[in-house]
Amino acid sequence: MENTFYKCPACGTTLRYSASSGKLACDSCGNQYELSEMEAAASSNVFRASFDWGDYKANLRPNTDTKVYICKFCGAQILTDSTTAATHCPYCDNEVVINDAFDGGLRPNGIIPFRITKDRLKEIVNSFGKGKKLLPRDFFTNKRIGDVQGVYVPFWLFDGTVDGWMVFDAKKEREFTEGEYRVKETSYYSLGRQGSLSFRNVPIDGAEKMDDAMMDSLGPYNFDEVVDFQTAYLSGFLADRFDRDPDQSIGRAEELMMASTENRFRSTTSSYTGVEVNRKSLNLQSPSVRYVLLPVYIINCKYDGKEYRYAVNGQTGKMVGALPVSKERKRAYFWGVFGGVTAVLGALLCLL
């Protein structure tokens, strides 16, 4: 199985992609190199065809078997599943890009490189926990936070147009005085709405191992920053190939497009009350998809015998995940509020 190292021409050390400079950097001698330069040097064995949905549906299905790769640096065997696209050798710790993950028309159409450096993560984590009164004081510490992994997560970007119509039942109410009487008048309406709404870059993650709700919450990404895929971007990070294909993912994309279309149609009925859908006919037309890799930092924490996982958008720095509640701080907060209320009531009783 083929794999690729990007070595420093000056000293031979394995290079890694630097999110701060946008270049391949050498930690030993400090030299930096343009991606295009190093990519060209390593491109002779890399298959260049990008992902095409039609070709994939006709000819390909991802292989989910476990595979063994030989590390070119130290000769060790690296055991991975077939969706691993970039990893590091557990024996010599050199970064490895696995070419097989992009062969056979599985090369991504694009990638958003990491913009957030690991140095900024501490600031992001502290900001995420700031002001959370019930968060354990020592939760986000080096002792509790495991290794932070930068991962390129496979995503499908769906385009399409929803076309159709909806009929709403609605009403309007008004009150007025007529002689000695106060009258309330209710008028009932049947509202028809018809049209189409186009969508671009609806993101659906293509990795079974990633939590869908967490990946959805990381958005929005700025897809104007998608660049042509180069394996050099993967050096220094982990990366996975998709294991949930577009046919399995389009249902979620369609649900999002349909819901947005319904909300857009409903927004035109704001002058009415009691608006309810009577019937509808909406259809997704001409869907298409691109395969891209998006940057995500995964942070794992242990607290009170439980595992907590957080994700940070490697482009924008947005952080998501559920925080634990400190039993001691919850108890102290409750008694502090309750004690304050009791003191106020006691003072009022004394005045009475």
PDB file of all heavy atoms in Angstrom, residues 54-66:
ATOM      1  N   GLY A  54     -21.527  10.461 -10.480  1.00  0.00           N
ATOM      2  CA  GLY A  54     -21.999   9.500 -11.467  1.00  0.00           C
ATOM      3  C   GLY A  54     -21.068   8.323 -11.615  1.00  0.00           C
ATOM      4  O   GLY A  54     -21.499   7.159 -11.639  1.00  0.00           O
ATOM      5  N   ASP A  55     -19.759   8.586 -11.724  1.00  0.00           N
ATOM      6  CA  ASP A  55     -18.790   7.507 -11.852  1.00  0.00           C
ATOM      7  C   ASP A  55     -18.781   6.637 -10.607  1.00  0.00           C
ATOM      8  O   ASP A  55     -18.673   5.401 -10.680  1.00  0.00           O
ATOM      9  CB  ASP A  55     -17.385   8.075 -12.082  1.00  0.00           C
ATOM     10  CG  ASP A  55     -17.237   8.697 -13.455  1.00  0.00           C
ATOM     11  OD1 ASP A  55     -18.095   8.423 -14.323  1.00  0.00           O
ATOM     12  OD2 ASP A  55     -16.274   9.458 -13.649  1.00  0.00           O
ATOM     13  N   TYR A  56     -18.890   7.276  -9.451  1.00  0.00           N
ATOM     14  CA  TYR A  56     -18.873   6.521  -8.199  1.00  0.00           C
ATOM     15  C   TYR A  56     -20.058   5.557  -8.127  1.00  0.00           C
ATOM     16  O   TYR A  56     -19.916   4.386  -7.784  1.00  0.00           O
ATOM     17  CB  TYR A  56     -18.894   7.480  -7.009  1.00  0.00           C
ATOM     18  CG  TYR A  56     -19.026   6.772  -5.675  1.00  0.00           C
ATOM     19  CD1 TYR A  56     -17.920   6.199  -5.069  1.00  0.00           C
ATOM     20  CD2 TYR A  56     -20.269   6.652  -5.048  1.00  0.00           C
ATOM     21  CE1 TYR A  56     -18.039   5.531  -3.868  1.00  0.00           C
ATOM     22  CE2 TYR A  56     -20.387   5.985  -3.845  1.00  0.00           C
ATOM     23  CZ  TYR A  56     -19.277   5.421  -3.258  1.00  0.00           C
ATOM     24  OH  TYR A  56     -19.402   4.759  -2.078  1.00  0.00           O
ATOM     25  N   LYS A  57     -21.252   6.057  -8.455  1.00  0.00           N
ATOM     26  CA  LYS A  57     -22.456   5.230  -8.391  1.00  0.00           C
ATOM     27  C   LYS A  57     -22.383   4.072  -9.379  1.00  0.00           C
ATOM     28  O   LYS A  57     -22.897   2.986  -9.122  1.00  0.00           O
ATOM     29  CB  LYS A  57     -23.692   6.084  -8.667  1.00  0.00           C
ATOM     30  CG  LYS A  57     -24.003   7.085  -7.568  1.00  0.00           C
ATOM     31  CD  LYS A  57     -25.119   8.016  -7.937  1.00  0.00           C
ATOM     32  CE  LYS A  57     -26.453   7.311  -7.969  1.00  0.00           C
ATOM     33  NZ  LYS A  57     -27.575   8.261  -8.165  1.00  0.00           N
ATOM     34  N   ALA A  58     -21.725   4.308 -10.515  1.00  0.00           N
ATOM     35  CA  ALA A  58     -21.662   3.268 -11.536  1.00  0.00           C
ATOM     36  C   ALA A  58     -20.603   2.211 -11.247  1.00  0.00           C
ATOM     37  O   ALA A  58     -20.790   1.030 -11.561  1.00  0.00           O
ATOM     38  CB  ALA A  58     -21.382   3.911 -12.895  1.00  0.00           C
ATOM     39  N   ASN A  59     -19.488   2.625 -10.614  1.00  0.00           N
ATOM     40  CA  ASN A  59     -18.337   1.717 -10.551  1.00  0.00           C
ATOM     41  C   ASN A  59     -17.790   1.413  -9.173  1.00  0.00           C
ATOM     42  O   ASN A  59     -17.095   0.417  -9.007  1.00  0.00           O
ATOM     43  CB  ASN A  59     -17.185   2.309 -11.389  1.00  0.00           C
ATOM     44  CG  ASN A  59     -17.604   2.560 -12.815  1.00  0.00           C
ATOM     45  OD1 ASN A  59     -18.137   1.682 -13.469  1.00  0.00           O
ATOM     46  ND2 ASN A  59     -17.356   3.779 -13.294  1.00  0.00           N
ATOM     47  N   LEU A  60     -18.038   2.270  -8.184  1.00  0.00           N
ATOM     48  CA  LEU A  60     -17.266   2.175  -6.952  1.00  0.00           C
ATOM     49  C   LEU A  60     -18.130   2.034  -5.715  1.00  0.00           C
ATOM     50  O   LEU A  60     -19.240   2.533  -5.658  1.00  0.00           O
ATOM     51  CB  LEU A  60     -16.384   3.419  -6.789  1.00  0.00           C
ATOM     52  CG  LEU A  60     -15.323   3.635  -7.864  1.00  0.00           C
ATOM     53  CD1 LEU A  60     -14.717   5.007  -7.711  1.00  0.00           C
ATOM     54  CD2 LEU A  60     -14.249   2.569  -7.768  1.00  0.00           C
ATOM     55  N   ARG A  61     -17.599   1.363  -4.737  1.00  0.00           N
ATOM     56  CA  ARG A  61     -18.121   1.337  -3.377  1.00  0.00           C
ATOM     57  C   ARG A  61     -16.929   1.296  -2.438  1.00  0.00           C
ATOM     58  O   ARG A  61     -15.964   0.579  -2.703  1.00  0.00           O
ATOM     59  CB  ARG A  61     -19.022   0.114  -3.104  1.00  0.00           C
ATOM     60  CG  ARG A  61     -20.373   0.211  -3.792  1.00  0.00           C
ATOM     61  CD  ARG A  61     -21.199   1.362  -3.210  1.00  0.00           C
ATOM     62  NE  ARG A  61     -22.505   1.461  -3.808  1.00  0.00           N
ATOM     63  CZ  ARG A  61     -22.800   2.191  -4.867  1.00  0.00           C
ATOM     64  NH1 ARG A  61     -21.838   2.874  -5.471  1.00  0.00           N
ATOM     65  NH2 ARG A  61     -24.019   2.239  -5.340  1.00  0.00           N
ATOM     66  N   PRO A  62     -16.962   2.051  -1.347  1.00  0.00           N
ATOM     67  CA  PRO A  62     -15.795   2.059  -0.450  1.00  0.00           C
ATOM     68  C   PRO A  62     -15.597   0.711   0.222  1.00  0.00           C
ATOM     69  O   PRO A  62     -16.557   0.047   0.610  1.00  0.00           O
ATOM     70  CB  PRO A  62     -16.144   3.144   0.585  1.00  0.00           C
ATOM     71  CG  PRO A  62     -17.632   3.245   0.550  1.00  0.00           C
ATOM     72  CD  PRO A  62     -18.031   2.943  -0.866  1.00  0.00           C
ATOM     73  N   ASN A  63     -14.352   0.312   0.335  1.00  0.00           N
ATOM     74  CA  ASN A  63     -13.997  -0.932   0.998  1.00  0.00           C
ATOM     75  C   ASN A  63     -13.782  -0.658   2.474  1.00  0.00           C
ATOM     76  O   ASN A  63     -12.970   0.178   2.843  1.00  0.00           O
ATOM     77  CB  ASN A  63     -12.724  -1.506   0.353  1.00  0.00           C
ATOM     78  CG  ASN A  63     -12.307  -2.827   0.960  1.00  0.00           C
ATOM     79  OD1 ASN A  63     -12.919  -3.306   1.897  1.00  0.00           O
ATOM     80  ND2 ASN A  63     -11.262  -3.415   0.398  1.00  0.00           N
ATOM     81  N   THR A  64     -14.489  -1.331   3.354  1.00  0.00           N
ATOM     82  CA  THR A  64     -14.398  -1.064   4.791  1.00  0.00           C
ATOM     83  C   THR A  64     -13.477  -2.030   5.519  1.00  0.00           C
ATOM     84  O   THR A  64     -13.463  -2.064   6.747  1.00  0.00           O
ATOM     85  CB  THR A  64     -15.805  -1.140   5.425  1.00  0.00           C
ATOM     86  OG1 THR A  64     -16.368  -2.431   5.179  1.00  0.00           O
ATOM     87  CG2 THR A  64     -16.710  -0.070   4.840  1.00  0.00           C
ATOM     88  N   ASP A  65     -12.687  -2.853   4.768  1.00  0.00           N
ATOM     89  CA  ASP A  65     -11.789  -3.801   5.407  1.00  0.00           C
ATOM     90  C   ASP A  65     -10.624  -3.085   6.068  1.00  0.00           C
ATOM     91  O   ASP A  65     -10.238  -1.984   5.680  1.00  0.00           O
ATOM     92  CB  ASP A  65     -11.233  -4.795   4.387  1.00  0.00           C
ATOM     93  CG  ASP A  65     -12.333  -5.679   3.803  1.00  0.00           C
ATOM     94  OD1 ASP A  65     -13.375  -5.840   4.468  1.00  0.00           O
ATOM     95  OD2 ASP A  65     -12.127  -6.174   2.690  1.00  0.00           O
ATOM     96  N   THR A  66     -10.046  -3.752   7.071  1.00  0.00           N
ATOM     97  CA  THR A  66      -8.823  -3.251   7.690  1.00  0.00           C
ATOM     98  C   THR A  66      -7.649  -3.453   6.729  1.00  0.00           C
ATOM     99  O   THR A  66      -7.583  -4.459   6.027  1.00  0.00           O
ATOM    100  CB  THR A  66      -8.552  -3.999   9.006  1.00  0.00           C
ATOM    101  OG1 THR A  66      -9.643  -3.767   9.892  1.00  0.00           O
ATOM    102  CG2 THR A  66      -7.262  -3.523   9.645  1.00  0.00           C
TER     103      THR A  66
END
